[in-house]
Structures are given as structure tokens and as C-alpha cells.
Amino acid sequence: MSGIATLVMSRRRATTRRRRGGLVPAVIIGLYLVVAVFGPLLISYDPVRTHLQDRLLAPGATTSTGATALLGTDALGRDVLAQIVYGARTSVFIGVVTVAVCTVIGLLIGFVAGYYRGWVDSVLARLIDILQAFPGILLAIVIAGVFTPSIWTIVLALSVTGWVSFARMTRSVVLSIRERYWIDAARLIGVGTGRLLRRHILPFTVGPVVAMATLEFALIVLAEAGLSFLGIGLPASSSSWGQTIAAGKEYLSSAWWISAAPGIALSILVISVGLLGDDLTARYGRARSR
């Protein structure tokens, strides 16, 4: 009995550690969401308004208006903290919308391919393979360069190939579930296709979709920052971490904070989302193995 009790206690402690491991990145991501939603209401600075008399001020310096530039200013006198706060709104919005679009498209295509199989599955599977053969970032650069710069252009550019991962995952789940005995039983009693997919197959995709969505969110935020760094996709009137990092690359030796501050903010968000995604993936794997 003592051995069994020790085993149970060790499993409980391991479960507690895993929950705590996922709690920290979740809290950090929650703080980013709060900053993205409410931060601009608390920041009185216009992130794109120039103040040449306050250019290249170090963090904590006082501006010409008497305010304190907590994270300094850039070469045009723009407040770096304001750019980070407004840039968080841009990155989070693009990430959430793009993930939502990719999830919907991927689920629909994955369900159709996995459930109906046959020539439908063959055509959709070949389409997925073709899109995966092209580097997604190159297609995003082409699309962002063709259309008028805007947030929606970035969403379109990143959604063109972003749905492929969701479609492949959904297709594999549907293929593994559609032949189970309860699916056959549901068909025998006359359950329609729509209800069958919604009530008996869709719940099995929720776990992996949520886990994949977190990881894809991190990749999308990185891709958006990369496009903004190259000056593609977003207009100059928008605030983006990539634009701020690019604006400071010429002043790394004299005004390092211009690129370092948004770079650190971007790194913390991406790492936190990645850790949360790994935790969700592990939870889904354990639940599926039971």
C-alpha cells in the first residue's frame, strides 16, 4: 500500500508541476492581452508623432514637455514605450484574426477531406502538398507587396498558407475517428452527416486545434514582425514591433533601446505562447492516450 500511495502522490506532484508550468506563460499572455486592449487608453503619447527636439533620449530621460520617456525615444523623437504598447495591439490583433481565419478554413477542408475521402480527399491532399512545397514567408512577401499596405493585407498574406497545418491535423483526426464503432452506430440509427460531424467527431479536434492555434499564433506574430521589419504590409502610420526594431537598427551602438525594447517584448510573448502551446499539446497527448 505504501508503494501505491507513493506512486499516487508522485503523480499528483507531477500534475501540479505541469499545471504550474502552464500557468506562468498563460499569465504573461494575459498581461499582453490587457496591454493590447487597454494600454492605448493609458498612454497619452501618439506613437507615430515625431518630436525632433526629443530624439534619441535614453530610458528615463525627461522630454521637452516634462514627461518621462520610460523606454527612451527613437531617432524621430517618438516614444518607444508608446510604440511597444500600440505595436502589441497590432500584433495581437493580426495574430488572433489570422489564427481564427486559418482555423475555420483548415477545419472545413480537413473535415471534408477526412470524412468523404475518395477523389475529394485526393484533390484536397494534393492542394495541401502544393502549398506546403512553397515557403510560406515568401508567398506572404509577394502578397503583401502586391496589395495596398494594411493590417488586412497582412492577415491575407499570412492566411494563404497558415490554414494548411490545421487542415492536415483535422484530416488525420477525422480519418482516425470516422471508422470507430460509435460512428458506425450513429450512421445505423440515421444520424445525419452534419450532426455526426458536429456531435461525434468535432469534439475530438478541439484539443489539438487549441494546441496548434497557440503555436501558430507565435509563428504568425513572428512573421508579422518580419514583414514589418522589411517595410512590407503595414502602412507607415501603423505601429509595429518590427517597424520599431527596423527603425533602431542604425543606432544599435548609440541608442540600443530602440531595437532592444520591442525585441524583448516580442521574444517574451513568443516564448510564452510556445510554452503554453507545448503544455496544451502534452495535455492533449495524455488525454488521448487514456
Side-chain angles (χ1 to χ4, degrees), residues 115-176:
Y115 186 80
Y116 290 102
R117 299 195 298 183
W119 68 269
V120 175
D121 183 27
S122 299
V123 171
L124 294 177
R126 297 297 77 75
L127 174 62
I128 292 173
D129 293 338
I130 291 172
L131 288 176
Q132 281 199 321
F134 292 94
I137 190 64
L138 292 183
L139 288 177
I141 290 174
V142 172
I143 294 173
V146 170
F147 292 93
T148 303
S150 69
I151 288 179
W152 297 109
T153 298
I154 295 291
V155 172
L156 173 63
L158 297 178
S159 299
V160 169
T161 58
W163 60 269
V164 173
S165 299
F166 292 93
R168 288 180 63 90
M169 180 274 300
T170 303
R171 175 180 175 271
S172 65
V173 173
V174 174
L175 285 174
S176 65

Side-chain angles (χ1 to χ4, degrees), residues 45-108:
Y45 301 105
D46 186 344
V48 298
R49 185 177 181 181
T50 60
H51 303 273
L52 296 180
Q53 66 275 20
D54 296 326
R55 63 188 306 269
L56 300 179
L57 292 180
T62 303
T63 65
S64 58
T65 60
T68 301
L70 295 178
L71 295 180
T73 61
D74 64 6
L76 298 177
R78 297 174 298 188
D79 187 78
V80 175
L81 176 61
Q83 294 184 63
I84 292 176
V85 171
Y86 280 83
R89 168 174 286 189
T90 300
S91 296
V92 170
F93 178 81
I94 291 176
V96 170
V97 174
T98 305
V99 166
V101 171
C102 293
T103 300
V104 172
I105 297 175
L107 282 175
L108 290 176

Side-chain angles (χ1 to χ4, degrees), residues 222-236:
L222 276 178
E224 181 274 323
L227 293 175
S228 300
F229 182 86
L230 296 175
I232 301 174
L234 288 177

